[in-house]
Amino acid sequence: MANDTRTRILDTTALLLRQRGYHGTSLNDILSASGAPRGSLYFHFPGGKDQLVIDVTRDSVAGVTARLGEALAAERDPAVAVHHIYQAVGRMLEDNQFSLGCPIAPVVLDSPTDVPELADLCRAAFEQWIGLLREAFVRAGVPQRRAHALALLVESSLEGLMVIARATRDRAPLQAVADEVAALIEAAVLAGEARQRAEAGV
């Protein structure tokens, strides 16, 4: 029962953060939506709202990181993997009726600088996601510098496209950009392979 209450509090907080951000989510909102007693919240999260938000954000980041890593590992061709990622994000938005986007973007936009651990967690999340993309491109033969730029392009376009898709309630922009980005990645991979052959004298 105690674990059920803790899970309910975490799930409710995760949803409210994605809907309202850090400053728009109060403890009273969490208690009301979760139906949990105030005493239970402080029993599981003695640090109050900040501890709760940090725990939720850490779990959300871990979930996104795992799914991103799995998607990139599932395909030898990073262009195909990235195209699938855009499609998956589009399906996610459709499934939640365009009401929820990136789990940490609302927190970042609220700029909770008074909670350094939370700010560090969000920064590290983007660094990790960009790093996973960059490593996938490097493995496919893209030079490190180009791979990093492409990784930044993918991550930044996904974040922006989630906002556009929510505003327009349409996943079509994701599909359009997915095709263009996949073509760029494919061209970078082919150029990397050509460079390697040239260096090898083939």
Side-chain angles (χ1 to χ4, degrees):
M1 181 64 72
N3 284 337
D4 289 345
T5 300
R6 185 177 189 277
T7 298
R8 192 164 72 249
I9 293 171
L10 286 168
D11 290 346
T12 299
T13 304
L15 178 61
L16 291 174
L17 283 174
R18 291 178 75 180
Q19 292 174 333
R20 308 178 186 180
Y22 175 81
H23 294 302
T25 301
S26 69
L27 283 181
N28 286 336
D29 294 332
I30 295 167
L31 292 171
S32 176
S34 67
R38 185 173 293 271
S40 293
L41 189 148
Y42 282 103
F43 173 77
H44 293 291
F45 306 98
K49 176 182 173 179
D50 288 350
Q51 181 188 349
L52 178 53
V53 171
I54 288 168
D55 286 355
V56 164
T57 303
R58 186 178 291 113
D59 288 348
S60 296
V61 168
V64 172
T65 302
R67 291 190 295 276
L68 178 59
E70 290 167 2
L72 292 169
E75 299 286 346
R76 288 191 61 184
D77 185 343
V80 174
V82 166
H83 200 279
H84 289 169
I85 290 167
Y86 279 83
Q87 292 175 324
V89 170
R91 288 193 298 271
M92 178 269 292
L93 288 164
E94 283 190 335
D95 289 345
N96 67 47
Q97 299 181 326
F98 299 97
S99 63
L100 304 171
C102 173
I104 68 169
V107 176
V108 173
L109 292 172
D110 264 359
S111 187
T113 53
D114 51 335
V115 189
E117 186 177 352
L118 182 58
D120 290 345
L121 181 58
C122 292
R123 182 178 64 252
F126 282 116
E127 290 174 350
Q128 188 170 20
W129 299 340
I130 292 165
L132 286 171
L133 289 161
R134 181 181 62 245
E135 290 164 11
F137 302 152
V138 169
R139 285 196 301 270
V142 180
Q144 185 76 225
R145 185 174 178 179
R146 181 79 192 281
H148 183 68
L150 286 171
L152 282 169
L153 175 64
V154 171
E155 183 59 39
S156 60
S157 70
L158 282 169
E159 294 295 330
L161 285 164
M162 279 188 270
V163 175
I164 293 171
R166 290 183 65 191
T168 60
R169 301 187 66 81
D170 187 359
R171 63 180 286 184
L174 278 153
Q175 182 63 50
V177 174
D179 294 342
E180 293 296 328
V181 170
L184 281 174
I185 295 168
E186 186 63 33
V189 171
L190 291 173
E193 291 173 352
R195 179 181 56 82
Q196 290 175 347
R197 287 195 298 271
E199 290 175 351
V202 177

